[in-house]
Amino acid sequence: MSHSSTLFLFLIVLFFTPALSELCNPQDKEALLQIKKEFGNPTTLSSWLPTSDCCNNNWVGVSCANKTQSYRVNHLDLNDLNLPKPYPIPPSVGNLPYLNFLSITNTNNLVGTIPPTITKLTMLRELQIRFTNVSGEIPHFLSQIKTLESIIFHYNNFSGNLPPWLPSLPNLYRISLDGNRISGTIPDSFGSFSDSLKLMTFSDNRLTGEIPATLAKLDFDFVDLSQNMLEGDASVLFGSEKHTLQINLANNSFAFDFGKVRVSKTLLILYLSHNRLYGALPEGLTSLKNLGTFDVSYNELCGKIPRGGRLQKIDVSSYSHNKCLCGSPLPKCKHL
């Protein structure tokens, strides 16, 4: 082979090497560039270039399945998008079929509703929309994504009622809808969640009514219903045989005899302030050796604080503004 022919072949290889070495799937790259366009080409996504590889860890918020060498985009984590004007979630997000994690957070100019094309993400396990202005009801079509394990919609403008279809997601581990404008009651159907559900948080919404008795069968790690307008008996969330770590029911209108409640021995955090709880403190609290935070202030509790565990180490403010609680760390009981 002549020297000129060798040089010619070398130049051909050199010219085509970038294309041959690119790991990013062409369809995934096309979808990502379309998403960028539908977002108004924000400078946050300036690293998303047609001439670069979306799987080289240089595209902001994009990760690929490099370990399995399929090199499909499976993780999209978009934060602080400086959108030039209000834009909805791009429908093209549904064109990333291998996505198992989708998060869009801290973006005030993100508006509108969740697009139906998201149902094309049949491998999606975690969906996060946090601190945006996305609105509307939580759409029923999300029930089609049976792979969902975690839904986190913190501090948006979602409205309407809690979706009664949520228990139809068989793998759901976490449902968090804190800080929206969701109203109405907690559906009875929530008692049919699978055993996989461990975190349920609906704080800072507009929920009303009582907690369904059907929830007694659920064993949460973490439940937060604080800052709503809920009322009645919340004792169904407690149980000595459960494995609960944290319960926050503060700032509601719950009213039940707290002294009859049996608490989980695993409990670490318990917020019950600003309700209408009555009765005494349950003796079972003394067995909670790892109780770190405990607040029953602003209720109608009465009686001597049981001795034991960490109850005497809790700050007095956590017992304040009750009917007649007494005993260490409060002043001695006079008439009990």
Side-chain angles (χ1 to χ4, degrees), residues 138 151 153-155 162-163 166 172 174-187 190 193 197 199-207 211 215 220 222-230 248 252:
I138 297 169
I151 298 174
F153 293 166
H154 285 173
Y155 293 90
L162 290 173
L166 279 171
L172 199 63
R174 175 176 183 173
I175 175 68
S176 293
L177 308 175
D178 309 79
N180 286 282
R181 296 185 291 115
I182 297 170
S183 57
T185 60
I186 298 174
F190 276 24
F193 273 113
L197 187 71
L199 287 91
M200 185 177 79
T201 65
F202 304 144
S203 69
D204 199 8
N205 276 286
R206 302 174 183 179
L207 297 176
I211 295 178
L215 266 63
F220 297 109
F222 179 16
V223 57
D224 187 349
L225 302 176
S226 63
Q227 300 184 70
N228 280 286
M229 295 175 281
L230 296 163
N248 189 347
N252 280 285

mmCIF file of all heavy atoms in Angstrom, residues 138 151 153-155 162-163 166 172 174-187 190 193 197 199-207 211 215 220 222-230 248 252:
data_model
loop_
_atom_site.group_PDB
_atom_site.id
_atom_site.type_symbol
_atom_site.label_atom_id
_atom_site.label_comp_id
_atom_site.label_asym_id
_atom_site.label_seq_id
_atom_site.Cartn_x
_atom_site.Cartn_y
_atom_site.Cartn_z
ATOM 1 N N ILE A 138 -53.600 15.523 40.357
ATOM 2 C CA ILE A 138 -52.635 14.460 40.093
ATOM 3 C C ILE A 138 -53.314 13.486 39.133
ATOM 4 O O ILE A 138 -54.327 12.874 39.476
ATOM 5 C CB ILE A 138 -52.200 13.775 41.396
ATOM 6 C CG1 ILE A 138 -51.491 14.797 42.283
ATOM 7 C CG2 ILE A 138 -51.305 12.588 41.114
ATOM 8 C CD1 ILE A 138 -51.232 14.338 43.682
ATOM 9 N N ILE A 151 -43.208 8.527 44.493
ATOM 10 C CA ILE A 151 -43.774 9.745 43.913
ATOM 11 C C ILE A 151 -43.568 10.859 44.930
ATOM 12 O O ILE A 151 -44.094 10.797 46.045
ATOM 13 C CB ILE A 151 -45.274 9.592 43.599
ATOM 14 C CG1 ILE A 151 -45.493 8.487 42.557
ATOM 15 C CG2 ILE A 151 -45.857 10.914 43.104
ATOM 16 C CD1 ILE A 151 -46.964 8.176 42.309
ATOM 17 N N PHE A 153 -43.998 14.881 45.156
ATOM 18 C CA PHE A 153 -44.485 16.130 44.576
ATOM 19 C C PHE A 153 -44.530 17.202 45.670
ATOM 20 O O PHE A 153 -45.597 17.595 46.139
ATOM 21 C CB PHE A 153 -45.890 15.950 43.981
ATOM 22 C CG PHE A 153 -45.957 15.051 42.775
ATOM 23 C CD1 PHE A 153 -47.181 14.575 42.331
ATOM 24 C CD2 PHE A 153 -44.817 14.689 42.075
ATOM 25 C CE1 PHE A 153 -47.264 13.749 41.216
ATOM 26 C CE2 PHE A 153 -44.892 13.860 40.957
ATOM 27 C CZ PHE A 153 -46.121 13.397 40.526
ATOM 28 N N HIS A 154 -43.377 17.679 46.106
ATOM 29 C CA HIS A 154 -43.305 18.654 47.200
ATOM 30 C C HIS A 154 -43.437 20.088 46.697
ATOM 31 O O HIS A 154 -42.740 20.499 45.771
ATOM 32 C CB HIS A 154 -41.958 18.550 47.926
ATOM 33 C CG HIS A 154 -41.840 17.367 48.824
ATOM 34 N ND1 HIS A 154 -40.664 17.022 49.460
ATOM 35 C CD2 HIS A 154 -42.732 16.435 49.212
ATOM 36 C CE1 HIS A 154 -40.837 15.932 50.191
ATOM 37 N NE2 HIS A 154 -42.089 15.560 50.046
ATOM 38 N N TYR A 155 -44.315 20.847 47.293
ATOM 39 C CA TYR A 155 -44.391 22.298 47.130
ATOM 40 C C TYR A 155 -44.511 22.711 45.666
ATOM 41 O O TYR A 155 -43.631 23.325 45.074
ATOM 42 C CB TYR A 155 -43.224 22.991 47.851
ATOM 43 C CG TYR A 155 -43.360 22.821 49.342
ATOM 44 C CD1 TYR A 155 -42.788 21.725 49.987
ATOM 45 C CD2 TYR A 155 -44.128 23.700 50.086
ATOM 46 C CE1 TYR A 155 -42.967 21.518 51.350
ATOM 47 C CE2 TYR A 155 -44.320 23.515 51.449
ATOM 48 C CZ TYR A 155 -43.733 22.417 52.078
ATOM 49 O OH TYR A 155 -43.931 22.221 53.424
ATOM 50 N N LEU A 162 -56.951 13.667 47.010
ATOM 51 C CA LEU A 162 -55.977 12.579 47.003
ATOM 52 C C LEU A 162 -56.479 11.489 46.051
ATOM 53 O O LEU A 162 -57.636 11.064 46.155
ATOM 54 C CB LEU A 162 -55.797 11.999 48.400
ATOM 55 C CG LEU A 162 -55.089 12.878 49.423
ATOM 56 C CD1 LEU A 162 -55.149 12.232 50.815
ATOM 57 C CD2 LEU A 162 -53.637 13.113 49.026
ATOM 58 N N PRO A 163 -55.641 11.015 45.137
ATOM 59 C CA PRO A 163 -56.098 10.030 44.153
ATOM 60 C C PRO A 163 -56.411 8.682 44.794
ATOM 61 O O PRO A 163 -55.526 8.041 45.364
ATOM 62 C CB PRO A 163 -54.899 9.899 43.208
ATOM 63 C CG PRO A 163 -54.047 11.107 43.454
ATOM 64 C CD PRO A 163 -54.254 11.458 44.893
ATOM 65 N N LEU A 166 -54.154 5.396 43.971
ATOM 66 C CA LEU A 166 -52.745 5.216 44.331
ATOM 67 C C LEU A 166 -52.399 3.797 44.802
ATOM 68 O O LEU A 166 -51.338 3.274 44.459
ATOM 69 C CB LEU A 166 -52.339 6.242 45.403
ATOM 70 C CG LEU A 166 -52.007 7.646 44.894
ATOM 71 C CD1 LEU A 166 -51.845 8.616 46.063
ATOM 72 C CD2 LEU A 166 -50.733 7.624 44.049
ATOM 73 N N LEU A 172 -45.294 0.692 45.144
ATOM 74 C CA LEU A 172 -45.113 2.023 45.721
ATOM 75 C C LEU A 172 -44.542 1.935 47.138
ATOM 76 O O LEU A 172 -45.119 1.307 48.020
ATOM 77 C CB LEU A 172 -46.437 2.774 45.732
ATOM 78 C CG LEU A 172 -46.340 4.299 45.870
ATOM 79 C CD1 LEU A 172 -45.601 4.902 44.677
ATOM 80 C CD2 LEU A 172 -47.735 4.916 45.970
ATOM 81 N N ARG A 174 -43.034 5.015 48.494
ATOM 82 C CA ARG A 174 -43.180 6.357 49.066
ATOM 83 C C ARG A 174 -44.157 7.176 48.247
ATOM 84 O O ARG A 174 -44.093 7.210 47.027
ATOM 85 C CB ARG A 174 -41.829 7.072 49.103
ATOM 86 C CG ARG A 174 -41.915 8.515 49.579
ATOM 87 C CD ARG A 174 -40.548 9.164 49.699
ATOM 88 N NE ARG A 174 -40.651 10.511 50.221
ATOM 89 C CZ ARG A 174 -39.606 11.275 50.551
ATOM 90 N NH1 ARG A 174 -38.376 10.803 50.405
ATOM 91 N NH2 ARG A 174 -39.776 12.489 51.021
ATOM 92 N N ILE A 175 -45.070 7.872 48.954
ATOM 93 C CA ILE A 175 -45.930 8.861 48.330
ATOM 94 C C ILE A 175 -45.864 10.129 49.183
ATOM 95 O O ILE A 175 -46.235 10.118 50.358
ATOM 96 C CB ILE A 175 -47.388 8.343 48.162
ATOM 97 C CG1 ILE A 175 -48.282 9.453 47.628
ATOM 98 C CG2 ILE A 175 -47.944 7.739 49.447
ATOM 99 C CD1 ILE A 175 -47.983 9.861 46.209
ATOM 100 N N SER A 176 -45.343 11.203 48.603
ATOM 101 C CA SER A 176 -45.155 12.465 49.324
ATOM 102 C C SER A 176 -45.732 13.598 48.489
ATOM 103 O O SER A 176 -45.248 13.872 47.384
ATOM 104 C CB SER A 176 -43.669 12.719 49.588
ATOM 105 O OG SER A 176 -43.147 11.770 50.497
ATOM 106 N N LEU A 177 -46.751 14.246 49.033
ATOM 107 C CA LEU A 177 -47.451 15.317 48.320
ATOM 108 C C LEU A 177 -47.471 16.598 49.147
ATOM 109 O O LEU A 177 -48.386 17.411 49.037
ATOM 110 C CB LEU A 177 -48.883 14.885 47.997
ATOM 111 C CG LEU A 177 -49.041 13.542 47.275
ATOM 112 C CD1 LEU A 177 -50.510 13.180 47.118
ATOM 113 C CD2 LEU A 177 -48.360 13.588 45.909
ATOM 114 N N ASP A 178 -46.454 16.820 49.953
ATOM 115 C CA ASP A 178 -46.425 17.943 50.884
ATOM 116 C C ASP A 178 -46.434 19.291 50.153
ATOM 117 O O ASP A 178 -45.846 19.444 49.082
ATOM 118 C CB ASP A 178 -45.168 17.869 51.761
ATOM 119 C CG ASP A 178 -44.993 16.508 52.400
ATOM 120 O OD1 ASP A 178 -44.518 15.578 51.715
ATOM 121 O OD2 ASP A 178 -45.328 16.366 53.578
ATOM 122 N N GLY A 179 -47.084 20.264 50.799
ATOM 123 C CA GLY A 179 -47.006 21.634 50.331
ATOM 124 C C GLY A 179 -47.706 21.906 49.016
ATOM 125 O O GLY A 179 -47.179 22.614 48.156
ATOM 126 N N ASN A 180 -48.916 21.381 48.854
ATOM 127 C CA ASN A 180 -49.714 21.674 47.665
ATOM 128 C C ASN A 180 -51.064 22.249 48.104
ATOM 129 O O ASN A 180 -51.177 22.776 49.202
ATOM 130 C CB ASN A 180 -49.876 20.408 46.825
ATOM 131 C CG ASN A 180 -48.606 20.037 46.090
ATOM 132 O OD1 ASN A 180 -48.274 20.625 45.066
ATOM 133 N ND2 ASN A 180 -47.867 19.055 46.611
ATOM 134 N N ARG A 181 -52.063 22.156 47.263
ATOM 135 C CA ARG A 181 -53.396 22.666 47.601
ATOM 136 C C ARG A 181 -54.420 21.537 47.504
ATOM 137 O O ARG A 181 -55.550 21.725 47.073
ATOM 138 C CB ARG A 181 -53.765 23.831 46.667
ATOM 139 C CG ARG A 181 -52.848 25.038 46.842
ATOM 140 C CD ARG A 181 -53.272 26.232 46.012
ATOM 141 N NE ARG A 181 -53.078 26.007 44.583
ATOM 142 C CZ ARG A 181 -54.051 25.939 43.687
ATOM 143 N NH1 ARG A 181 -55.316 26.045 44.060
ATOM 144 N NH2 ARG A 181 -53.780 25.751 42.416
ATOM 145 N N ILE A 182 -53.994 20.366 47.933
ATOM 146 C CA ILE A 182 -54.848 19.176 47.858
ATOM 147 C C ILE A 182 -55.867 19.211 48.996
ATOM 148 O O ILE A 182 -55.525 19.474 50.144
ATOM 149 C CB ILE A 182 -53.994 17.905 47.918
ATOM 150 C CG1 ILE A 182 -53.066 17.860 46.696
ATOM 151 C CG2 ILE A 182 -54.858 16.661 47.977
ATOM 152 C CD1 ILE A 182 -52.017 16.796 46.743
ATOM 153 N N SER A 183 -57.115 18.949 48.671
ATOM 154 C CA SER A 183 -58.213 19.062 49.641
ATOM 155 C C SER A 183 -58.992 17.758 49.707
ATOM 156 O O SER A 183 -58.650 16.760 49.069
ATOM 157 C CB SER A 183 -59.121 20.228 49.252
ATOM 158 O OG SER A 183 -59.624 20.052 47.935
ATOM 159 N N GLY A 184 -60.063 17.788 50.504
ATOM 160 C CA GLY A 184 -60.899 16.610 50.640
ATOM 161 C C GLY A 184 -60.377 15.654 51.699
ATOM 162 O O GLY A 184 -59.494 15.997 52.494
ATOM 163 N N THR A 185 -60.921 14.467 51.701
ATOM 164 C CA THR A 185 -60.603 13.485 52.736
ATOM 165 C C THR A 185 -59.579 12.465 52.250
ATOM 166 O O THR A 185 -59.294 12.361 51.058
ATOM 167 C CB THR A 185 -61.882 12.748 53.169
ATOM 168 O OG1 THR A 185 -62.445 12.086 52.022
ATOM 169 C CG2 THR A 185 -62.912 13.711 53.732
ATOM 170 N N ILE A 186 -59.056 11.710 53.200
ATOM 171 C CA ILE A 186 -58.169 10.599 52.863
ATOM 172 C C ILE A 186 -59.053 9.419 52.439
ATOM 173 O O ILE A 186 -59.917 8.991 53.198
ATOM 174 C CB ILE A 186 -57.294 10.206 54.061
ATOM 175 C CG1 ILE A 186 -56.404 11.385 54.469
ATOM 176 C CG2 ILE A 186 -56.442 8.988 53.733
ATOM 177 C CD1 ILE A 186 -55.603 11.141 55.732
ATOM 178 N N PRO A 187 -58.865 8.885 51.234
ATOM 179 C CA PRO A 187 -59.759 7.818 50.743
ATOM 180 C C PRO A 187 -59.673 6.536 51.572
ATOM 181 O O PRO A 187 -58.597 6.168 52.051
ATOM 182 C CB PRO A 187 -59.259 7.574 49.315
ATOM 183 C CG PRO A 187 -58.484 8.783 48.943
ATOM 184 C CD PRO A 187 -57.876 9.285 50.220
ATOM 185 N N PHE A 190 -57.065 3.804 50.719
ATOM 186 C CA PHE A 190 -55.662 3.852 51.133
ATOM 187 C C PHE A 190 -55.320 2.713 52.100
ATOM 188 O O PHE A 190 -54.149 2.406 52.307
ATOM 189 C CB PHE A 190 -55.340 5.203 51.762
ATOM 190 C CG PHE A 190 -55.010 6.281 50.746
ATOM 191 C CD1 PHE A 190 -55.471 6.189 49.450
ATOM 192 C CD2 PHE A 190 -54.245 7.377 51.093
ATOM 193 C CE1 PHE A 190 -55.185 7.173 48.509
ATOM 194 C CE2 PHE A 190 -53.939 8.359 50.159
ATOM 195 C CZ PHE A 190 -54.412 8.255 48.862
ATOM 196 N N PHE A 193 -53.215 -0.254 50.409
ATOM 197 C CA PHE A 193 -51.832 -0.174 49.941
ATOM 198 C C PHE A 193 -51.120 -1.488 50.231
ATOM 199 O O PHE A 193 -51.381 -2.140 51.251
ATOM 200 C CB PHE A 193 -51.086 0.959 50.638
ATOM 201 C CG PHE A 193 -51.230 2.311 49.976
ATOM 202 C CD1 PHE A 193 -51.917 3.339 50.599
ATOM 203 C CD2 PHE A 193 -50.656 2.550 48.735
ATOM 204 C CE1 PHE A 193 -52.041 4.584 50.002
ATOM 205 C CE2 PHE A 193 -50.775 3.793 48.127
ATOM 206 C CZ PHE A 193 -51.473 4.808 48.763
ATOM 207 N N LEU A 197 -45.495 -0.013 50.908
ATOM 208 C CA LEU A 197 -45.589 1.411 51.251
ATOM 209 C C LEU A 197 -45.077 1.650 52.670
ATOM 210 O O LEU A 197 -45.617 1.122 53.631
ATOM 211 C CB LEU A 197 -47.029 1.909 51.134
ATOM 212 C CG LEU A 197 -47.173 3.428 51.320
ATOM 213 C CD1 LEU A 197 -46.603 4.169 50.113
ATOM 214 C CD2 LEU A 197 -48.622 3.830 51.548
ATOM 215 N N LEU A 199 -43.532 5.145 53.441
ATOM 216 C CA LEU A 199 -43.516 6.579 53.696
ATOM 217 C C LEU A 199 -44.735 7.226 53.060
ATOM 218 O O LEU A 199 -44.945 7.108 51.837
ATOM 219 C CB LEU A 199 -42.252 7.225 53.127
ATOM 220 C CG LEU A 199 -40.938 6.964 53.852
ATOM 221 C CD1 LEU A 199 -40.254 5.726 53.271
ATOM 222 C CD2 LEU A 199 -40.003 8.158 53.726
ATOM 223 N N MET A 200 -45.534 7.911 53.878
ATOM 224 C CA MET A 200 -46.707 8.625 53.389
ATOM 225 C C MET A 200 -46.726 10.010 54.030
ATOM 226 O O MET A 200 -46.877 10.143 55.241
ATOM 227 C CB MET A 200 -47.998 7.866 53.733
ATOM 228 C CG MET A 200 -49.241 8.506 53.134
ATOM 229 S SD MET A 200 -50.759 7.558 53.461
ATOM 230 C CE MET A 200 -51.089 8.053 55.164
ATOM 231 N N THR A 201 -46.534 11.045 53.224
ATOM 232 C CA THR A 201 -46.489 12.405 53.762
ATOM 233 C C THR A 201 -47.368 13.334 52.923
ATOM 234 O O THR A 201 -47.177 13.458 51.715
ATOM 235 C CB THR A 201 -45.039 12.943 53.806
ATOM 236 O OG1 THR A 201 -44.531 13.081 52.479
ATOM 237 C CG2 THR A 201 -44.134 11.993 54.585
ATOM 238 N N PHE A 202 -48.329 13.956 53.597
ATOM 239 C CA PHE A 202 -49.263 14.880 52.952
ATOM 240 C C PHE A 202 -49.319 16.208 53.714
ATOM 241 O O PHE A 202 -50.353 16.877 53.741
ATOM 242 C CB PHE A 202 -50.678 14.282 52.904
ATOM 243 C CG PHE A 202 -50.775 12.950 52.235
ATOM 244 C CD1 PHE A 202 -51.658 11.986 52.700
ATOM 245 C CD2 PHE A 202 -49.997 12.635 51.131
ATOM 246 C CE1 PHE A 202 -51.769 10.751 52.088
ATOM 247 C CE2 PHE A 202 -50.096 11.403 50.508
ATOM 248 C CZ PHE A 202 -50.989 10.458 50.977
ATOM 249 N N SER A 203 -48.244 16.619 54.343
ATOM 250 C CA SER A 203 -48.272 17.812 55.197
ATOM 251 C C SER A 203 -48.518 19.081 54.387
ATOM 252 O O SER A 203 -48.259 19.141 53.180
ATOM 253 C CB SER A 203 -46.953 17.941 55.959
ATOM 254 O OG SER A 203 -45.901 18.262 55.073
ATOM 255 N N ASP A 204 -49.020 20.098 55.086
ATOM 256 C CA ASP A 204 -49.187 21.441 54.521
ATOM 257 C C ASP A 204 -50.072 21.424 53.276
ATOM 258 O O ASP A 204 -49.709 21.913 52.211
ATOM 259 C CB ASP A 204 -47.815 22.046 54.214
ATOM 260 C CG ASP A 204 -47.863 23.559 54.065
ATOM 261 O OD1 ASP A 204 -48.917 24.155 54.351
ATOM 262 O OD2 ASP A 204 -46.836 24.141 53.663
ATOM 263 N N ASN A 205 -51.257 20.817 53.444
ATOM 264 C CA ASN A 205 -52.270 20.823 52.398
ATOM 265 C C ASN A 205 -53.590 21.318 53.003
ATOM 266 O O ASN A 205 -53.576 22.044 53.995
ATOM 267 C CB ASN A 205 -52.408 19.435 51.783
ATOM 268 C CG ASN A 205 -51.381 19.172 50.702
ATOM 269 O OD1 ASN A 205 -51.476 19.698 49.594
ATOM 270 N ND2 ASN A 205 -50.386 18.359 51.008
ATOM 271 N N ARG A 206 -54.712 20.919 52.429
ATOM 272 C CA ARG A 206 -56.025 21.358 52.902
ATOM 273 C C ARG A 206 -56.938 20.163 53.169
ATOM 274 O O ARG A 206 -58.152 20.217 52.928
ATOM 275 C CB ARG A 206 -56.658 22.293 51.868
ATOM 276 C CG ARG A 206 -55.788 23.516 51.559
ATOM 277 C CD ARG A 206 -56.342 24.348 50.439
ATOM 278 N NE ARG A 206 -55.463 25.476 50.118
ATOM 279 C CZ ARG A 206 -55.699 26.365 49.157
ATOM 280 N NH1 ARG A 206 -56.791 26.252 48.399
ATOM 281 N NH2 ARG A 206 -54.861 27.365 48.940
ATOM 282 N N LEU A 207 -56.359 19.102 53.671
ATOM 283 C CA LEU A 207 -57.122 17.877 53.909
ATOM 284 C C LEU A 207 -58.062 18.050 55.086
ATOM 285 O O LEU A 207 -57.738 18.706 56.081
ATOM 286 C CB LEU A 207 -56.168 16.712 54.164
ATOM 287 C CG LEU A 207 -55.229 16.336 53.020
ATOM 288 C CD1 LEU A 207 -54.283 15.231 53.441
ATOM 289 C CD2 LEU A 207 -56.019 15.932 51.778
ATOM 290 N N ILE A 211 -59.312 10.212 59.651
ATOM 291 C CA ILE A 211 -58.455 9.184 59.066
ATOM 292 C C ILE A 211 -59.251 7.885 58.978
ATOM 293 O O ILE A 211 -59.806 7.429 59.984
ATOM 294 C CB ILE A 211 -57.185 8.974 59.915
ATOM 295 C CG1 ILE A 211 -56.336 10.246 59.901
ATOM 296 C CG2 ILE A 211 -56.370 7.802 59.388
ATOM 297 C CD1 ILE A 211 -55.084 10.156 60.735
ATOM 298 N N LEU A 215 -56.741 2.352 57.583
ATOM 299 C CA LEU A 215 -55.299 2.589 57.647
ATOM 300 C C LEU A 215 -54.638 1.865 58.821
ATOM 301 O O LEU A 215 -53.411 1.801 58.904
ATOM 302 C CB LEU A 215 -54.999 4.090 57.737
ATOM 303 C CG LEU A 215 -54.727 4.792 56.389
ATOM 304 C CD1 LEU A 215 -55.959 4.732 55.500
ATOM 305 C CD2 LEU A 215 -54.291 6.229 56.603
ATOM 306 N N PHE A 220 -46.319 1.881 58.605
ATOM 307 C CA PHE A 220 -45.434 2.888 58.026
ATOM 308 C C PHE A 220 -44.116 2.986 58.792
ATOM 309 O O PHE A 220 -44.069 2.757 60.000
ATOM 310 C CB PHE A 220 -46.086 4.270 58.069
ATOM 311 C CG PHE A 220 -47.344 4.397 57.269
ATOM 312 C CD1 PHE A 220 -48.576 4.518 57.901
ATOM 313 C CD2 PHE A 220 -47.316 4.417 55.885
ATOM 314 C CE1 PHE A 220 -49.746 4.659 57.169
ATOM 315 C CE2 PHE A 220 -48.473 4.557 55.140
ATOM 316 C CZ PHE A 220 -49.690 4.672 55.791
ATOM 317 N N PHE A 222 -42.689 6.062 58.265
ATOM 318 C CA PHE A 222 -42.744 7.515 58.401
ATOM 319 C C PHE A 222 -44.089 7.995 57.864
ATOM 320 O O PHE A 222 -44.442 7.731 56.712
ATOM 321 C CB PHE A 222 -41.579 8.110 57.606
ATOM 322 C CG PHE A 222 -41.471 9.613 57.612
ATOM 323 C CD1 PHE A 222 -42.142 10.394 58.531
ATOM 324 C CD2 PHE A 222 -40.660 10.243 56.685
ATOM 325 C CE1 PHE A 222 -42.026 11.763 58.533
ATOM 326 C CE2 PHE A 222 -40.523 11.622 56.671
ATOM 327 C CZ PHE A 222 -41.209 12.384 57.596
ATOM 328 N N VAL A 223 -44.849 8.693 58.702
ATOM 329 C CA VAL A 223 -46.110 9.283 58.254
ATOM 330 C C VAL A 223 -46.177 10.725 58.741
ATOM 331 O O VAL A 223 -45.879 11.022 59.897
ATOM 332 C CB VAL A 223 -47.334 8.460 58.745
ATOM 333 C CG1 VAL A 223 -47.356 8.328 60.254
ATOM 334 C CG2 VAL A 223 -48.628 9.067 58.237
ATOM 335 N N ASP A 224 -46.539 11.638 57.835
ATOM 336 C CA ASP A 224 -46.627 13.061 58.163
ATOM 337 C C ASP A 224 -47.912 13.625 57.560
ATOM 338 O O ASP A 224 -48.052 13.734 56.342
ATOM 339 C CB ASP A 224 -45.412 13.804 57.602
ATOM 340 C CG ASP A 224 -45.347 15.267 58.064
ATOM 341 O OD1 ASP A 224 -46.337 15.753 58.645
ATOM 342 O OD2 ASP A 224 -44.310 15.907 57.830
ATOM 343 N N LEU A 225 -48.850 13.958 58.452
ATOM 344 C CA LEU A 225 -50.124 14.562 58.043
ATOM 345 C C LEU A 225 -50.277 15.955 58.651
ATOM 346 O O LEU A 225 -51.384 16.482 58.732
ATOM 347 C CB LEU A 225 -51.290 13.674 58.476
ATOM 348 C CG LEU A 225 -51.281 12.236 57.952
ATOM 349 C CD1 LEU A 225 -52.447 11.451 58.535
ATOM 350 C CD2 LEU A 225 -51.314 12.204 56.432
ATOM 351 N N SER A 226 -49.191 16.547 59.081
ATOM 352 C CA SER A 226 -49.225 17.823 59.794
ATOM 353 C C SER A 226 -49.722 18.968 58.912
ATOM 354 O O SER A 226 -49.695 18.889 57.682
ATOM 355 C CB SER A 226 -47.831 18.158 60.335
ATOM 356 O OG SER A 226 -46.912 18.321 59.273
ATOM 357 N N GLN A 227 -50.198 20.018 59.574
ATOM 358 C CA GLN A 227 -50.636 21.256 58.925
ATOM 359 C C GLN A 227 -51.726 21.018 57.882
ATOM 360 O O GLN A 227 -51.618 21.395 56.726
ATOM 361 C CB GLN A 227 -49.440 21.971 58.289
ATOM 362 C CG GLN A 227 -48.369 22.353 59.302
ATOM 363 C CD GLN A 227 -47.242 23.130 58.681
ATOM 364 O OE1 GLN A 227 -47.424 24.280 58.287
ATOM 365 N NE2 GLN A 227 -46.071 22.524 58.593
ATOM 366 N N ASN A 228 -52.779 20.331 58.347
ATOM 367 C CA ASN A 228 -53.984 20.167 57.559
ATOM 368 C C ASN A 228 -55.167 20.555 58.438
ATOM 369 O O ASN A 228 -55.001 21.270 59.430
ATOM 370 C CB ASN A 228 -54.098 18.725 57.065
ATOM 371 C CG ASN A 228 -53.233 18.458 55.849
ATOM 372 O OD1 ASN A 228 -53.544 18.878 54.742
ATOM 373 N ND2 ASN A 228 -52.113 17.753 56.057
ATOM 374 N N MET A 229 -56.346 20.107 58.092
ATOM 375 C CA MET A 229 -57.544 20.371 58.892
ATOM 376 C C MET A 229 -58.228 19.049 59.240
ATOM 377 O O MET A 229 -59.451 18.947 59.278
ATOM 378 C CB MET A 229 -58.489 21.303 58.128
ATOM 379 C CG MET A 229 -57.911 22.693 57.893
ATOM 380 S SD MET A 229 -58.956 23.760 56.865
ATOM 381 C CE MET A 229 -58.551 23.132 55.228
ATOM 382 N N LEU A 230 -57.424 18.040 59.504
ATOM 383 C CA LEU A 230 -57.930 16.718 59.837
ATOM 384 C C LEU A 230 -58.443 16.682 61.269
ATOM 385 O O LEU A 230 -57.998 17.467 62.115
ATOM 386 C CB LEU A 230 -56.832 15.677 59.635
ATOM 387 C CG LEU A 230 -56.361 15.518 58.181
ATOM 388 C CD1 LEU A 230 -55.028 14.791 58.117
ATOM 389 C CD2 LEU A 230 -57.419 14.784 57.352
ATOM 390 N N ASN A 248 -45.843 12.505 62.467
ATOM 391 C CA ASN A 248 -46.063 13.942 62.633
ATOM 392 C C ASN A 248 -47.523 14.251 62.302
ATOM 393 O O ASN A 248 -47.937 14.161 61.145
ATOM 394 C CB ASN A 248 -45.128 14.742 61.726
ATOM 395 C CG ASN A 248 -45.168 16.232 62.028
ATOM 396 O OD1 ASN A 248 -46.046 16.712 62.740
ATOM 397 N ND2 ASN A 248 -44.217 16.976 61.489
ATOM 398 N N ASN A 252 -53.403 20.063 63.514
ATOM 399 C CA ASN A 252 -54.674 19.588 62.993
ATOM 400 C C ASN A 252 -55.717 19.764 64.093
ATOM 401 O O ASN A 252 -55.535 20.591 64.991
ATOM 402 C CB ASN A 252 -54.552 18.123 62.564
ATOM 403 C CG ASN A 252 -53.906 17.958 61.205
ATOM 404 O OD1 ASN A 252 -54.509 18.214 60.168
ATOM 405 N ND2 ASN A 252 -52.639 17.520 61.206
#
